[in-house]
Every structure is written in structure tokens, then in C-alpha cells.
Amino acid sequence: MGEVKTIEWKDDKLILIDCTKLPIKEEYVVCERYSELVRAIKTLAVRGAPAIGVSAAYGVVLAAIEGKNISNNKEQYLEFIDKAIEELAATRPTAVNLFWALDRMKKKLHTIKDLSQNEIKEKLLDEANLIYEEDVQCNKNIGKYGNDIVPYEANILTHCNAGALATAGYGTALGVIRYAHYSGKNIHVYADETRPLLQGARLTAWELVKEHIPATLIADNMAGYVMKLNKIDLVITGADRITVNGDTANKIGTYSLAILAKAHNIPFYIAAPLSTIDMNLKSGEEIVIEERDKKELRELFGQKIAPDEIDTFNPAFDVTPNEYITGIITEVGILKPPYNISIKSAKHF
Ligand code: MRU
């Protein structure tokens, strides 16, 4: 189906499609050191909650390889990997998949710490590969379950990019759209451009065009009018962190869409793997929202679009309260309100 490979481990290197360059250029970032991945995550060369988590898992493997050249001393070697995990964790604060994947790698490291350096690297690589494969499988299952709520003819609005480019493959919100499209449904997508960094216009539009899924690009401020014109049957977005009560952090602008959807009686769904649910947080108020550089608002592709002197507020995400969310599409089924109950049972708490 011509789907893009976002993340690839090859010859002890991590190869990432550079999301900052699309759709102008299809370029790849090759990481041989974990610090190169730290930079790739911070600059959004790799982005999207599951993709950040999967690539960070491989970042730990990069550190395990690099550490071998730094010290033969086991204690120093393990300290080096621990330091890499800390640096990877400090890249972006909101997407919980990053911490989930690093935690899993840390736990794995703890169980194998008495093995040789070579064995440690191999076992960490096995774990990262597992995280990768599980993510692709989760997304396919999200697509399959999500298909149940997609009518045979549907105009679906999505925000940001929750596609193959945001995951190890297939996508979450775009995974549902892909599944519905390839199952023969008559799907048309409205893609929000997603200011300030245009993940919708650059990445979602690119994925949809590449796979010939019928789609129309709109600016973010057009969504309300398009809904008013009865052109939207369903909204599906991804998530960066979901709390126990179902409150959901996702790309800035998702909250406004959810309110607009409610006002127009349009179902609003979140599609995300269970790894995006943070069982440590009771509600969205506890989620740390990343604030990004002022330049992202004052400039567009390095071109000045506002005076340097103007102050900016640039939160990368917002939180949609659970009461606006019709359902959360996961790899084990669609979770419905009350989320406190459905989330706990899906996560086996
Ligand atoms: O800042 P980004 O591009 O990493 O933000 C990505 C999003 O908000 C996505 O919607 C979310 O991570 C889900 S990706 C399957």
C-alpha cells in the first residue's frame, strides 16, 4: 500500500525519515550516537508520541553500543547507559510513550546487567525490536476496532499527524482511516493544516496523497465552518498522553476541535495505543504541556512572518476534557465513558 518506513534499525544505526523536511524532500537522519537521536527528537525530525517512544528505545541500544568504546568497566558502562536514558527522557515532556518505552528498556537492562556488554546490547536490541513490532501491531488493531465506528460513506476530520510518520508504522488516527479506506469504505478526509509547524499540511497530506486516500486540506480556523456546512461526520485524532479519567493531551488545537464537534453533534474519537495512557495521572490538569521556541510562531520555514519584538505563547499541546470524547480507540477495543472504569479494565488495574 506504499506506506512509508518511519523508523528503521540497520547495521547498528537508527534511520529516521526526517519529518522536518517533508513534503519537500524525502531525507533520512542517520543516528549512530544516542546524542544524535536526542537532537532528532528535540528538533521534531522524529515526532508523534509512539514514534518518539520507539526511537528512544533504539536510542538506548545506541548508548549500549557507544558505551562499549567508552569503558570496559561494567559499572561505568551501565552508568553511561543510564545517563543516556536520562538525556533521552529530557527531550520532550508531554508524550508519555517516551517515558513508557524508556522505562521498559530500563527494566530490561536491570534484568540483564550481569551479562557481557555484547549480550546486553543484543538483549536491549531484542527489546527495542519488540517495542517496534508491538507498535505496528497495536496500530493495525486500532485500525480494525476503529473501523466499527466509521460509516460506509464518511468525511473524517483529523488534526496534526497521527499516521505512519508518527508511529513505527500504519498510524493511529490515520490507521483507522487507512483500515476503513482499504476495507472498501468511501472515505474522504479533511486534514487540518495544524499551525504552527504544519504537521497536517506537510505530513498527513503527504501520507494521504501517497496512498491515494481522498483528502482535502483546510486551515485550522476553517474547521468550524466546514462542520457547520455538514461536511464532517466524524473527528478522529491521536493522543500524546491520556490520564486515568480519559482527559487527553494532543496537538494544540485538538481541544477547540472537540468543542466544535460537540456543538455540531459530531462524534469525536481519540485513537491511541494503551501505552499512551498514563495510569499515574488522575486528570489532564497534571499533564506537563511542552512550550516551544518563540521562533516557531514568528517565522515560517525560516522566513520572518511577525516582528521579532512580539511576545508569543507557543504551547505544543492542549488537553481535551473527557466529556468531549465519544470514545478512545485502542488496540484492545473502543473504550467508552466512564473512562475511569473502561481505562482501568483495559489496563488490567
Ligand atoms: O509535536 P508532535 O508533532 O510530536 O505532535 C504529535 C501529535 O500531537 C500527535 O497527534 C500525537 O503524538 C499522536 S501520534 C500517533
Side-chain angles (χ1 to χ4, degrees), residues 138-154:
C138 274
N139 295 336
K140 292 195 169 154
N141 290 343
I142 286 171
K144 182 177 70 149
Y145 284 115
N147 196 30
D148 285 351
I149 53 98
V150 179
Y152 277 91
E153 303 242 331

Side-chain angles (χ1 to χ4, degrees), residues 44 47-50 52 92 159-163 166-167 172 199 238-240 250-251 316-317:
L44 310 195
R47 35 65 54 200
I52 296 171
R92 296 190 77 188
H159 189 62
C160 191
N161 172 265
T167 60
T172 56
Q199 286 93 330
D240 282 84
N250 190 49
K251 179 52 57 196
F317 304 97

Side-chain angles (χ1 to χ4, degrees), residues 136-329:
V136 178
Q137 197 48 52
C138 274
N139 295 336
K140 292 195 169 154
N141 290 343
I142 286 171
K144 182 177 70 149
Y145 284 115
N147 196 30
D148 285 351
I149 53 98
V150 179
Y152 277 91
E153 303 242 331
N155 283 290
I156 306 174
L157 175 67
T158 191
H159 189 62
C160 191
N161 172 265
L165 291 169
T167 60
Y170 206 71
T172 56
L174 275 195
V176 176
I177 288 166
R178 272 198 172 92
Y179 198 99
H181 171 77
Y182 288 107
S183 72
K185 289 184 178 172
N186 192 5
I187 302 302
H188 172 267
V189 181
Y190 279 94
D192 261 357
E193 67 174 353
T194 318
R195 272 286 285 151
L197 296 178
L198 302 170
Q199 286 93 330
R202 296 187 304 102
L203 309 177
T204 297
W206 185 76
E207 284 194 47
L208 292 169
V209 165
K210 211 173 160 72
E211 287 186 47
H212 308 289
I213 299 174
T216 302
L217 177 66
I218 57 169
D220 299 324
N221 50 7
M222 296 172 188
Y225 182 58
V226 177
M227 287 181 186
K228 177 84 181 154
L229 294 175
N230 284 322
K231 284 179 180 287
I232 309 288
D233 301 302
L234 191 61
V235 181
I236 313 177
T237 77
D240 282 84
R241 193 184 292 238
I242 301 169
T243 56
V244 178
N245 67 346
D247 291 352
T248 296
N250 190 49
K251 179 52 57 196
I252 190 75
T254 305
Y255 170 55
S256 325
L257 279 184
I259 289 179
L260 281 171
K262 186 152 195 142
H264 292 87
N265 262 319
I266 298 168
F268 179 93
Y269 283 89
I270 295 290
L274 292 180
S275 54
T276 303
I277 301 176
D278 182 351
M279 297 306 284
N280 295 317
L281 301 189
K282 288 196 196 70
S283 84
E285 279 156 40
E286 296 170 60
I287 299 176
V288 176
I289 299 292
E290 176 185 8
E291 272 189 49
R292 294 190 58 88
D293 202 291
K294 293 177 186 302
K295 269 193 182 162
E296 291 180 357
L297 284 173
R298 292 183 187 139
E299 294 177 7
L300 201 53
F301 303 118
Q303 193 72 38
K304 196 160 135 176
I305 57 163
D308 291 336
E309 298 78 15
I310 190 73
D311 193 18
T312 65
F313 176 48
N314 187 16
F317 304 97
D318 57 29
V319 177
T320 300
N322 60 66
E323 61 263 33
Y324 294 101
I325 301 170
T326 315
I328 301 173
I329 308 164

